[in-house]
Amino acid sequence: MQGLIDFLSQGGYAFYVWSAFGMTFALLIAEALVLRRSRRTILQRVGRLARLRMQNVPPGEHR
Amino acid sequence: MKINWFKYAAPTAFYPLAGRLVPVLAVAAAALVLFALYWGFFETPERLGGTNPQKEYYRIIFIHVPAAWMSMWLYLVLAAWSAVGLVFNTRLSFMMTNAVAPTGAIFTFLALWTGAFWGRPSWGTYWDWDPRLTSELILFFLYIGFMALHSAIDDSRRADRAAALLAIVGLVMLPIIYWSINCPDPNNCAALHQRSSLTDIESNILTAMLVMTLGFWLYSFAAAFARLRNIILLREQDSAWVRTMVDAAGAGGPANAGGGDALDANRRGVSA
Amino acid sequence: MKARQKRLIFVGVAVIGVGIAATLALSALNSNIAYFFSPSQVHAGEHPTDAVFRVGGLVVEDTLKRQEDGLTVRFDVTDNARTVPVSYTGILPDLFGEGQGVVAKGRIGTDGVFYADQVLAKHDESYMPPEVEDTLQTAHAEGVVETAGQSMPAAGRTVTQ
């Protein structure tokens, strides 16, 4: 337990050390999540467009 | 290398290749970064000595230096793909520039941010108009300018070319950043950054720093390829290969759930 | 449509122009034309008398004195040719110390003392744990007696700088 507290306090420089490391990994993880979400959104949109086209292309069969 | 790229110069060919690479690169990057974090926090001295008696805050070096290196290397990649795009007029090169730019901007911002939180306890200030800090800030504005210029122009081909030109002109910043610490006598310059050499760094500190750099490289590749796939999908959404691929992805499995599945089900319904 | 694209390209050119301007400003900064003066230059009277400027060099050993208020410090800065006395009220950075490099920002008083409102510490790029650094410097300085911990004798300090 004391070891953990010592580790987290970084010799009293916790604010600087964790601000730097925290921002770094928050941004990198955020970028990865944004990329995954935008991929889903794009796939959905492309899928919707393709569906619309499918409904229009074969003439006669559909309303 | 060039030949290899030309083989995959068509988005059609590169899209699936990037798709296979992204998870591999991401896992490798995560492993390296975690190793570097472990090594940096548990296998390094708590404080430094001699002419540079820094305390625990020196550990910011493990992300600051790799991020600063990435900011410059990724700009080099950005400018190189811009040049290739302008010369050969290849679609994929321009898409590559757009895939790299946001990641480069993030690393540039991180170099500035981590530097601020390192500069405050060591030098005594978050920010100073030190030549290196100033030139790195301009590099950040160049990344932002590249993305802003590209998104400001509606026609994507024109946007590609204008932004690529900006990227190439901005290349002038890289040697400036590199030589911004070139001060003959450190005590006769206002510059806070000093010349550095890898041989002046203790081996455990160096290990953590270099492994982190490699992790950031792989992360950058993974992020750029993932973004490249998104860009390809967006720009080629009207082409036949994207349509068939979206269908196949929908049938393939749960990975691309949602749109793909719905699309596939609907299509079967239609053709039945 | 076409006019707008032209305007946007114009904006792009403007951004490039700003980049070039910044480059020129940087090169001026880099050669320290405007802001930075060494103690020798101050003695030669090259510094501005009515504007803020910077003085930098090494803190001379045994000159660091704390005033009665407990917050103001006095020390001499040298470029190994001339020295300038500096007075500063405030918290000193962690790396500040006698024999270390500093950059002080402020104005010079009529009494010849440089009144700083900011003092920044410099360090070299040697990232060694204390023990390793000690042995290295002992080797360099050939038998200089080491004091405990991080406080190093002047001879050891100047060797690597």
Side-chain angles (χ1 to χ4, degrees), chain B residues 123-136:
Chain B
W123 298 332
T125 182
Y126 285 107
W127 179 262
D128 187 70
W129 295 101
D130 168 270
R132 177 154 279 190
L133 292 175
T134 314
S135 49
E136 185 76 6

Side-chain angles (χ1 to χ4, degrees), chain C:
Chain C
M1 187 72 176
K2 203 131 203 185
R4 196 172 74 191
Q5 281 159 356
K6 267 185 190 155
R7 258 181 286 137
L8 284 167
I9 288 163
F10 185 77
V11 169
V13 172
V15 171
I16 293 162
V18 169
I20 292 168
T23 307
L24 293 175
L26 249 176
S27 65
L29 242 175
N30 211 1
S31 51
N32 303 315
I33 294 165
Y35 300 106
F36 185 84
F37 296 89
S38 67
S40 295
Q41 285 174 309
V42 171
H43 272 271
E46 292 171 27
H47 62 280
T49 46
D50 53 350
V52 169
F53 67 101
R54 290 173 166 213
V55 164
L58 295 170
V59 179
V60 182
E61 297 284 330
D62 300 324
T63 58
L64 182 61
K65 303 255 182 336
R66 212 161 264 281
Q67 306 302 106
E68 299 84 58
D69 63 0
L71 272 175
T72 305
V73 286
R74 286 269 193 135
F75 53 87
D76 288 357
V77 170
T78 181
D79 58 356
N80 293 326
R82 296 302 199 93
T83 65
V84 167
V86 175
S87 169
Y88 171 69
T89 308
I91 297 157
L92 289 165
D94 187 61
L95 289 180
F96 181 90
E98 293 182 341
Q100 290 280 35
V102 287
V103 178
K105 194 182 88 185
R107 326 171 158 259
I108 202 142
T110 46
D111 52 356
V113 175
F114 187 81
Y115 289 93
D117 38 49
Q118 186 188 42
V119 171
L120 301 179
K122 299 215 280 190
H123 58 81
D124 64 15
E125 298 292 331
S126 145
Y127 289 87
M128 294 288 178
E131 323 84 59
V132 178
E133 188 73 16
D134 287 358
T135 23
L136 276 180
Q137 294 198 347
T138 316
H140 273 301
E142 286 179 347
V144 171
V145 182
E146 299 290 343
T147 49
Q150 299 151 32
S151 59
M152 304 290 299
R157 269 210 189 101
T158 40
V159 164
T160 47
Q161 291 197 344

